[in-house]
């Protein structure tokens, strides 16, 4: 089954389980052109990850041991939410760098939770050990066909909502979302990958010619801090000659602040990373080029309504 068929099937499966998130066209942000936005931070648990998690569970024979996932935070919350909604036990492994805001979100959903010292790769290793011991089913955060197809439903939905853009900018961590976007579009629109300078697995892989390990740090690392880009993403990005641009932490913070000050849209740094590429000039559009950015990732730290929950 080709990607289009897989994404269509995923959309049918997850209908009724996920939110159709709103779109808007905005002016401002220091730009002299309007930008289409999709507000995916309004998805269940505050990110697009619920799409892939629900699709994975709904197309799988889940064992009695339930599911296990490793996550920088957002995927773990989504996997826990989907498992709880469908009646499966879940065990989530997250690195300490996920921060208390995302950790408390997973706890509120009701999954078993293990916080692992270090970064995402350490959590993944422990999740794999748990999978081998218990027989639980692993829900990969980004590098699995069912995950990618689920994330691809976002782009399918956006087009059905009337997207006009020639070019769509997408923040990239492990690559599950942009892989789904590329898989759905099949070259029909230009897709630009946006990564933090200090967490740039896709950019490094494009330079090397194959996926390589990178060091991860910075303000968006707990969402975009994959040590190595997924193979599915790398293959699709290579086939589509996807441009990858880098933005600084300062640029991400400026975009995050602008979203709040100009539109009262509150997102974590990863959620503002795509917009940062336009505001900073890391991506400079051609005259008349129509632009769109995905706004995603609502799990800001510290929690603005719980100041004691800081990170």
């Amino acid at each position: 089954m080709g990607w289009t068929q897989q994404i269509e099937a995923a959309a049918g499966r997850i209908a009724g389980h996920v939110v159709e998130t709103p779109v808007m066209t905005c002016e401002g942000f220091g730009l002299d052109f309007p930008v289409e936005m999709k507000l995916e931070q309004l998805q269940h648990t505050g990110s697009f990850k619920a799409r892939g998690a629900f699709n994975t569970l709904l197309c799988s024979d889940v064992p009695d041991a339930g599911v296990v996932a490793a996550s920088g935070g957002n995927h773990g919350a989504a996997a826990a939410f989907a498992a709880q909604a469908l009646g499966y036990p879940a065990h989530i492994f997250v690195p300490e760098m996920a921060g208390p805001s995302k950790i408390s979100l997973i706890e509120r959903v009701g999954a078993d939770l293990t916080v692992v010292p270090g970064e995402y790769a350490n959590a993944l290793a422990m999740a794999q050990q748990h999978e081998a011991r218990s027989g639980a089913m692993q829900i990969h955060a980004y590098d699995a066909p069912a995950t990618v197809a689920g994330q691809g439903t976002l782009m399918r939905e956006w087009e059905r909502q009337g997207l006009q853009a020639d070019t769509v900018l997408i923040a990239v961590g492990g690559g599950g979302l942009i892989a789904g976007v590329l898989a759905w579009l099949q070259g029909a629109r230009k897709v630009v990958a946006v990564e933090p300078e200090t967490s740039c697995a896709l950019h490094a892989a494009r330079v090397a010619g194959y996926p390589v390990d990178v060091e991860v740090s910075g303000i968006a690392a707990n969402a975009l801090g994959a040590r190595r880009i997924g193979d599915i993403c790398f293959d699709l990005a290579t086939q589509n000659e996807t441009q990858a641009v880098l933005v600084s932490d300062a640029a991400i913070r400026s975009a995050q602040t602008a979203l709040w000050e100009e539109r009262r849209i509150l997102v974590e740094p990863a959620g503002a990373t795509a917009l940062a590429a336009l505001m900073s000039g890391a991506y400079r559009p051609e005259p008349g080029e129509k632009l769109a950015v995905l706004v995603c990732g609502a799990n800001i730290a510290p929690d603005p309504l719980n100041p004691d929950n800081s990170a």
Side-chain angles (χ1 to χ4, degrees), residues 221-255:
N222 68 353
L224 303 181
R227 184 182 291 177
R228 178 184 287 244
I229 199 69
D231 290 336
I232 296 173
C233 176
F234 177 75
D235 290 344
L236 286 166
T238 301
Q239 292 164 18
N240 287 275
E241 299 182 347
T242 303
Q243 181 179 355
V245 301
L246 304 181
V247 292
S248 67
D249 277 4
I252 294 170
R253 186 69 78 196
S254 292

Side-chain angles (χ1 to χ4, degrees), residues 29-31 33 167-171 190-197 200 203 242-252 254-255 272-286 289 291 293:
F29 308 115
L31 305 173
F33 48 83
T167 301
V168 183
L169 289 89
I170 304 286
K190 182 178 180 178
V191 179
V192 176
V194 186
E195 297 176 285
E197 292 173 346
C200 54
H203 181 268
T242 303
Q243 181 179 355
V245 301
L246 304 181
V247 292
S248 67
D249 277 4
I252 294 170
S254 292
T273 296
L275 179 61
L278 296 179
M279 289 181 59
S280 68
Y283 180 77
R284 298 184 183 276
E286 297 294 329
E289 185 178 356
L291 281 299
V293 300

Side-chain angles (χ1 to χ4, degrees), residues 1 3 5-15 17 50-63 67 82-83 86 88 137-140 144-151 153:
M1 187 185 297
W3 279 118
Q5 292 75 24
Q6 290 185 61
I7 294 169
E8 289 283 7
R13 283 188 203 102
I14 70 176
H17 293 287
R51 297 174 183 270
F54 271 111
N55 187 52
T56 299
L57 292 177
L58 289 166
C59 70
S60 303
D61 291 325
V62 180
V67 302
L86 298 174
Y88 300 121
M137 185 183 83
Q138 179 88 228
I139 305 179
H140 199 282
T147 300
V148 170
Q151 317 310 26
T153 65

Side-chain angles (χ1 to χ4, degrees), residues 18-236:
V18 300
V19 176
E20 180 177 313
T21 53
V23 297
M24 62 190 299
T25 300
C26 296
E27 295 183 353
F29 308 115
L31 305 173
D32 58 5
F33 48 83
V35 178
E36 292 180 85
M37 294 182 172
K38 186 165 177 62
L39 307 182
E40 188 68 10
Q41 84 279 6
L42 299 177
Q43 188 54 258
H44 291 305
T45 69
S47 84
F48 64 89
K49 299 282 191 177
R51 297 174 183 270
F54 271 111
N55 187 52
T56 299
L57 292 177
L58 289 166
C59 70
S60 303
D61 291 325
V62 180
D64 291 341
V67 302
V68 58
S71 170
N74 287 335
H75 171 64
F81 179 85
Q84 190 275 337
L86 298 174
Y88 300 121
H91 196 132
I92 311 299
F93 292 80
V94 299
E96 288 176 330
M97 68 185 297
S101 180
K102 292 181 179 181
I103 289 170
S104 66
L105 174 61
I106 297 169
E107 289 173 335
R108 289 198 304 273
V109 173
D112 290 333
L113 177 67
T114 299
V115 180
V116 181
E119 60 187 45
Y120 168 76
N122 304 89
L124 178 59
M126 288 198 66
Q128 291 169 336
Q129 293 170 15
H130 176 84
E131 177 186 12
R133 283 195 311 269
S134 69
M137 185 183 83
Q138 179 88 228
I139 305 179
H140 199 282
Y142 51 86
D143 200 24
T147 300
V148 170
Q151 317 310 26
T153 65
L154 182 152
M155 196 69 238
R156 174 187 180 273
E157 181 178 291
W158 202 351
E159 289 203 313
R160 288 170 177 253
Q161 292 171 308
L163 179 65
Q164 298 296 308
D166 306 306
T167 301
V168 183
L169 289 89
I170 304 286
V172 177
L177 174 59
I178 199 169
V181 168
L182 291 166
W184 174 257
L185 289 176
Q186 299 288 315
R189 303 176 198 262
K190 182 178 180 178
V191 179
V192 176
V194 186
E195 297 176 285
E197 292 173 346
T198 55
S199 296
C200 54
L202 177 57
H203 181 268
R206 296 298 306 276
V207 170
Y210 51 89
V212 295
D213 286 349
V214 298
E215 296 297 320
V216 298
S217 62
I219 62 172
N222 68 353
L224 303 181
R227 184 182 291 177
R228 178 184 287 244
I229 199 69
D231 290 336
I232 296 173
C233 176
F234 177 75
D235 290 344
L236 286 166

